[in-house]
Amino acid sequence: NLGLLAERDVALAESLAAEGQQEIFAAWDAPGTGDAEKLDFFKQIRTLDGNYPGGLGCYLRNARGLLQASAEGANPLAGWTPSVPRDTFRPEVGSEEFMAYEELGASEVGACCFVIPAGGLGERLGFHGVKLALPAELVTPSKVLEVYCAYLRAFQDLAEKKSSSRSRLPLVIMASSDTEAGIRSLLESNNYFGLEPEQVTILLQEKVAALARSDALLSMEGRYKVGTKPHGHGDIHFLLHSKGMAKRWLEEGRRWVLFFQDTNTLYLTTFLCSLGVSAKHGLRANVVAMPRKAKEAVGSIARLTHSDGKCIVANVEYNQLEPLLKATGGDGDVNGPDGFSPYPGNTNELIFSLPQYVSVLEETGGQMPEFINPKYTDASRSTFKSPTRLECMMQDFLKLLPAEEVGVTCYPLEFGYFPCKNDIATAARLAAEGTPPHGAASAEAAVYHAYAELLRRVGRTSHVAAPTARHWCGGPQLLGPAVVLWPSFAPSCAELRRRLGEVVLEEGSTLEVRGDVHLGRLTLAGALRVVAGEGATLHVPQLEVRNRGGEFVALTEAEQAGEAPEELRIRGYRYVLHEVEEIKVSEPGIYTYADGTLTRS
Ligand code: UPG
């Protein structure tokens, strides 16, 4: 039924038939009918072919292998024995060791590239915008991407100071057809959040072919269109390879690449230290981890030893950890005496040394280890409830490296991974079960908590009121003083220590500090915003602020039911500012604020 097709399309049809896809063509109309659709079909096949390492044939062969193993009920981790990773680096945030690593990280950061896979929609969250547009917190209220970009600008400034040359750090955002328009408009309508448009690249992640049966028959939507599904965040490696970006960065003399996800701004509060750990210990890969509660829905980092002697350090997904531990003679996924699993949690922050990253891409063509997860109709494991596809994960790059080349850096929970993924009802249920809720309220509280913790650890004899329990319709949440330290004020602990004196924050306070601000002795019971614009330095030797400040107020039922914007409904409250003291300088210069008066020196 092929009719008068171009030679290359005939060849494509033949190669598909050789891969067991004859049935597709058998269903086609006779020549002369549906010819335009047939041409579109081959166009789509060429796209699918070009978007997979090794082409569509390779995809179908890989799928057949994994589908057969799945039908036989094979355990993908058979032969592997897990153990807790050895020699995890645990720099204590704010310590001399931490700051020494940060210092090294600051010397290296000018040679780092930043990559965010952001192709995922917030379906589980009840937010219809792109997740990078979510407010990280309500006080400022900056968007997640805005915070990431503010860190990049602060890192550029640090790099410029170190090298006395202009530094522009490349940022790659991987979008999917679901998120591309939203991310582009977010960047364009916000002037790229102060970055130069040329330093930001959006790479489009394509979907892969959906499969209808265990013999990897393509799943068709009608007679001439192959159904497609997302392939997972592991696509980022193939894209950096196939678009030549990773190689270009290497040719430009860059040395590191950081991968991180789309809703956790805390990654960048400890990043300079993690980069310093990579540089000091010559780590080919460094995966950042955190304490993990047993059964928490985050992957765990484990050392895996195969019966053939091979050893890797990699992520084991939370639903695989328990069966793996039990199958290898352990008690399952249970907490140790400290109340946490001995297996640290994966934050999915990965730092690779660029030369070695590129060499692995060249060896593998960007092909990641893949998995398949068909939902079968019954125990015979022969038919699917809905079409399936191969999937891959960004962190599985670690599986391509020998264990001795992978380091793990673990920070205390306050600096861990607090994504905004779950809707308010799910968050409430998880909180009730004693599991981290991974909702908007917990993500927001984590931001304030991390910055308050920085004040406690880095400032001199600071007193920062302890968090108190609040109850929203998303469940209980510990909430402390709402502290936001912009990266231009606190790009590193060392800078923060240089700029910070003795701070006392009373319960319910709100503090936002931005720019080159030097705070001496501060007592705050209320709300304070201190901002030094670009080129300005502001000294505040002594200040006591007492005002009505701001408060978090639960939404009314009507607001929760639909009257309030989505970004509030996903958390169940709003922030109401009653009174704030604002000290702000915009023009370049050196200023001092004392006794209520601002002077320029
Ligand atoms: N993403 C893509 N393309 C996709 C799917 C996701 O770019 O096809 C992005 C997404 O936008 C986000 C990141 O990838 O930035 C992670 O996706 P998400 O759905 O948020 O992650 P999870 O599936 O919850 O799991 C990841 C890791 C898991 C880890 C967990 C927390 O896969 O190992 O435990 O994050 O660290």
Side-chain angles (χ1 to χ4, degrees):
N1 295 340
L2 295 179
L4 289 173
L5 289 174
E7 234 169 79
R8 61 174 184 175
D9 289 346
V10 174
L12 261 187
E14 282 169 0
S15 65
L16 280 175
E19 292 297 342
Q21 307 295 328
Q22 303 89 327
E23 278 175 52
I24 292 172
F25 302 110
W28 280 16
D29 289 309
T33 311
D35 285 357
E37 288 98 326
K38 288 173 191 166
L39 291 180
D40 286 345
F41 169 84
F42 285 110
K43 201 170 155 208
Q44 188 195 13
I45 293 292
R46 278 193 295 278
T47 306
L48 291 169
D49 198 49
N51 286 329
Y52 188 81
L56 183 58
C58 185
Y59 175 78
L60 293 170
R61 285 189 291 281
N62 290 345
R64 265 197 300 277
L66 285 169
L67 281 166
Q68 191 179 343
S70 164
E72 289 162 4
N75 171 2
L77 289 170
W80 292 99
T81 304
S83 56
V84 176
R86 302 179 199 152
D87 306 328
T88 297
F89 300 97
R90 295 181 189 278
E92 199 47 63
V93 178
S95 66
E96 293 303 323
E97 182 198 21
F98 183 96
M99 289 196 233
Y101 279 132
E102 272 191 330
E103 180 70 22
L104 194 52
S107 320
E108 291 292 323
V109 74
C112 189
C113 314
F114 294 78
V115 181
I116 312 171
L121 270 185
E123 300 122 324
R124 280 180 281 170
L125 178 64
F127 179 72
H128 288 89
V130 291
K131 288 191 278 171
L132 288 172
L134 282 165
E137 33 73 25
L138 294 182
V139 162
T140 58
S142 342
K143 298 175 191 311
V144 172
L145 185 56
E146 181 175 5
V147 180
Y148 288 159
C149 292
Y151 270 102
L152 258 68
R153 294 202 319 271
F155 295 156
Q156 284 176 179
D157 290 348
L158 280 182
E160 281 174 16
K161 271 190 214 147
K162 292 268 175 197
S163 68
S164 327
S165 63
R166 194 164 170 271
S167 172
R168 288 291 168 267
L169 304 177
L171 170 64
V172 164
I173 302 175
M174 179 174 78
S176 64
S177 54
D178 295 329
T179 61
E180 187 189 10
I183 293 173
R184 265 190 210 289
S185 102
L186 178 65
L187 281 163
E188 283 162 12
S189 56
N190 289 284
N191 270 331
Y192 287 74
F193 295 113
L195 297 182
E196 288 171 14
E198 303 73 55
Q199 71 188 104
V200 184
T201 308
I202 296 180
L203 293 180
L204 184 63
Q205 163 186 34
E206 298 288 351
K207 292 183 174 160
V208 287
L211 305 165
R213 283 195 323 228
S214 279
D215 61 354
L217 179 72
L218 291 172
S219 165
M220 301 299 289
E221 286 173 2
R223 256 173 286 182
Y224 303 107
K225 190 162 182 270
V226 181
T228 56
K229 290 203 159 195
H231 186 220
H233 38 72
D235 277 349
I236 188 60
H237 303 299
F238 174 63
L239 281 175
L240 290 176
H241 177 63
S242 60
K243 304 286 176 200
M245 292 221 60
K247 194 152 176 244
R248 197 168 332 130
W249 286 337
L250 190 62
E251 286 160 3
E252 289 165 2
R254 303 188 193 271
R255 295 190 290 279
W256 305 100
V257 55
L258 166 71
F259 293 84
F260 56 116
Q261 299 189 166
D262 59 7
T263 64
N264 181 52
T265 55
L266 301 192
Y267 287 130
L268 298 179
T269 56
T270 50
F271 166 65
L272 288 178
C273 173
S274 312
L275 182 60
V277 170
S278 281
K280 174 142 191 200
H281 303 284
L283 301 180
R284 191 167 180 174
N286 186 2
V287 50
V288 178
M290 61 171 175
R292 171 183 177 276
K293 289 270 181 206
K295 304 193 172 46
E296 182 176 349
V298 297
S300 55
I301 302 296
R303 186 180 172 91
L304 297 171
T305 309
H306 199 267
S307 47
D308 67 8
K310 190 178 172 197
C311 197
I312 58 175
V313 171
N315 173 71
V316 178
E317 280 304 289
Y318 59 95
N319 52 350
Q320 294 184 330
L321 184 66
E322 170 114 332
L324 179 66
L325 289 168
K326 284 190 168 159
T328 49
D331 292 336
D333 186 14
V334 288
N335 289 325
D338 63 351
F340 289 98
S341 158
Y343 289 87
N346 174 30
T347 68
N348 241 10
E349 174 182 350
L350 303 154
I351 304 169
F352 292 106
S353 145
L354 191 60
Q356 284 121 346
Y357 176 72
V358 171
S359 81
V360 175
L361 287 185
E362 280 171 1
E363 275 161 36
T364 59
Q367 170 86 61
M368 284 300 102
E370 290 173 307
F371 61 97
I372 199 153
N373 193 12
K375 307 277 182 287
Y376 293 106
T377 45
D378 57 40
S380 70
R381 297 176 84 82
S382 50
T383 43
F384 308 154
K385 283 189 186 154
S386 59
T388 188
R389 84 293 197 179
L390 291 186
E391 292 179 72
C392 63
M393 300 195 292
M394 168 170 96
Q395 63 272 32
D396 280 350
F397 196 97
L398 299 174
K399 294 184 173 164
L400 304 173
L401 307 174
E404 57 277 13
E405 289 176 2
V406 180
V408 183
T409 305
C410 192
Y411 296 109
L413 195 57
E414 293 89 337
F415 301 94
Y417 177 69
F418 295 89
C420 180
K421 297 189 174 178
N422 292 326
D423 62 51
I424 194 158
T426 309
R429 177 177 54 76
L430 292 173
E433 289 166 6
T435 309
H438 294 178
S442 56
E444 172 164 13
V447 171
Y448 304 138
H449 199 169
Y451 288 129
E453 192 58 21
L454 277 181
L455 292 182
R456 282 190 199 100
R457 288 170 180 248
V458 177
R460 281 176 283 274
T461 61
S462 295
H463 163 75
V464 182
T468 51
R470 302 296 307 267
H471 290 267
W472 315 117
C473 73
Q477 180 62 56
L478 283 174
L479 199 59
V483 182
V484 181
L485 308 179
W486 281 81
S488 52
F489 171 64
S492 66
C493 279
E495 277 298 308
L496 181 60
R497 185 156 72 172
R498 208 170 60 78
R499 289 174 170 156
L500 197 66
E502 189 179 324
V503 177
V504 174
L505 286 192
E506 301 296 354
E507 199 179 314
S509 299
T510 299
L511 173 66
E512 177 188 350
V513 194
R514 186 171 187 160
D516 188 15
V517 173
H518 298 253
L519 283 176
R521 182 181 288 233
L522 168 69
T523 302
L524 174 62
L528 171 67
R529 183 182 296 141
V530 193
V531 179
E534 209 146 304
T537 298
L538 173 59
H539 293 273
V540 185
Q542 183 158 358
L543 185 66
E544 183 167 339
V545 175
R546 290 185 190 278
N547 59 30
R548 290 169 59 223
E551 61 175 328
F552 295 90
V553 180
L555 297 184
T556 61
E557 259 179 48
E559 285 174 331
Q560 191 62 51
E563 276 178 13
E566 263 180 355
E567 64 264 31
L568 299 186
R569 279 190 275 141
I570 58 175
R571 60 195 79 217
Y573 57 81
R574 63 174 70 250
Y575 177 70
V576 181
L577 186 58
H578 301 294
E579 193 183 350
V580 60
E581 171 144 357
E582 183 169 82
I583 308 168
K584 185 172 179 179
V585 291
S586 312
E587 296 298 312
I590 299 175
Y591 302 81
T592 303
Y593 182 85
D595 301 325
T597 313
L598 189 67
T599 47
R600 187 174 175 171
S601 48

